[in-house]
Amino acid sequence: MKQSIVHIALVVNDYDEAIDFYVNKLKFDLIEDTYQAEQDKRWVVVSPPGSNGVSLLLARASKPEQHDFIGNQTGGRVFLFLNTDDFWRDYNRMQLDGIKFVRPPQEQDYGTVAVFEDLYGNLWDLLQLNDKQPIPSKESI
């Protein structure tokens, strides 16, 4: 059996302001923006450049109880993890674009990481993972 997670729904206040943030500030690609008349909503998908994994489905809150979760989908914990091939390039560009970092860059055993907020306050890790060490073979153990 082969399965994968394709999209993660991110509850947003407004499609266009969310697209503006993710495309113009985080430099994500807009994969799809399709109006669905039968449900009076849009199917909006964004993804980091060069990504071939999970994408974000920007889902506008449509009920009053959903509005309470905008910006706090995980109860204040880091929600999403944006891996990069050049931490300092992206960190510096994001700062210039007004992205708010709530925890400064730190070197950890696994790589370099800093925590930022999206336009609604959801917490993200920006991280560059260290190169993976080869898994030892049975013969070398």
Side-chain angles (χ1 to χ4, degrees):
M1 177 189 321
K2 182 177 179 180
Q3 297 180 336
S4 63
I5 296 174
V6 179
H7 305 298
I8 293 177
L10 179 66
V11 181
V12 301
N13 187 52
D14 177 81
Y15 293 118
D16 293 323
E17 72 183 7
I19 290 170
D20 181 58
F21 178 83
Y22 285 99
V23 171
N24 296 321
K25 297 227 181 222
L26 286 188
K27 307 301 183 197
F28 282 21
D29 294 326
L30 179 61
I31 306 301
E32 185 174 357
D33 183 358
T34 304
Y35 179 66
Q36 297 177 326
E38 66 280 356
Q39 296 178 348
D40 190 31
K41 66 179 184 179
R42 288 159 60 185
W43 182 262
V44 178
V45 179
V46 296
S47 181
S51 176
N52 58 2
V54 176
S55 57
L56 289 180
L57 172 67
L58 304 179
R60 183 177 48 88
S62 60
K63 299 177 183 176
E65 58 271 17
Q66 293 173 349
H67 284 273
D68 294 340
F69 294 97
I70 296 171
N72 192 24
Q73 289 191 213
T74 57
R77 294 195 54 128
V78 170
F79 177 40
L80 297 164
F81 300 80
L82 181 60
N83 189 33
T84 178
D85 63 347
D86 187 334
F87 177 88
W88 292 107
R89 174 200 64 211
D90 292 344
Y91 175 78
N92 290 326
R93 181 197 48 78
M94 290 167 73
Q95 282 199 304
L96 288 173
D97 285 341
I99 303 295
K100 180 181 176 186
F101 281 85
V102 297
R103 285 186 224 139
Q106 295 181 345
E107 296 293 328
Q108 300 290 340
D109 292 340
Y110 55 85
T112 307
V113 62
V115 179
F116 70 93
E117 290 181 340
D118 69 12
L119 75 162
Y120 298 114
N122 290 301
L123 298 179
W124 288 65
D125 271 1
L126 173 65
L127 60 113
Q128 182 175 2
L129 298 173
N130 293 333
D131 291 331
K132 293 182 179 180
Q133 298 299 317
I135 298 172
S137 65
K138 283 174 61 176
E139 293 77 28
S140 66
I141 298 178

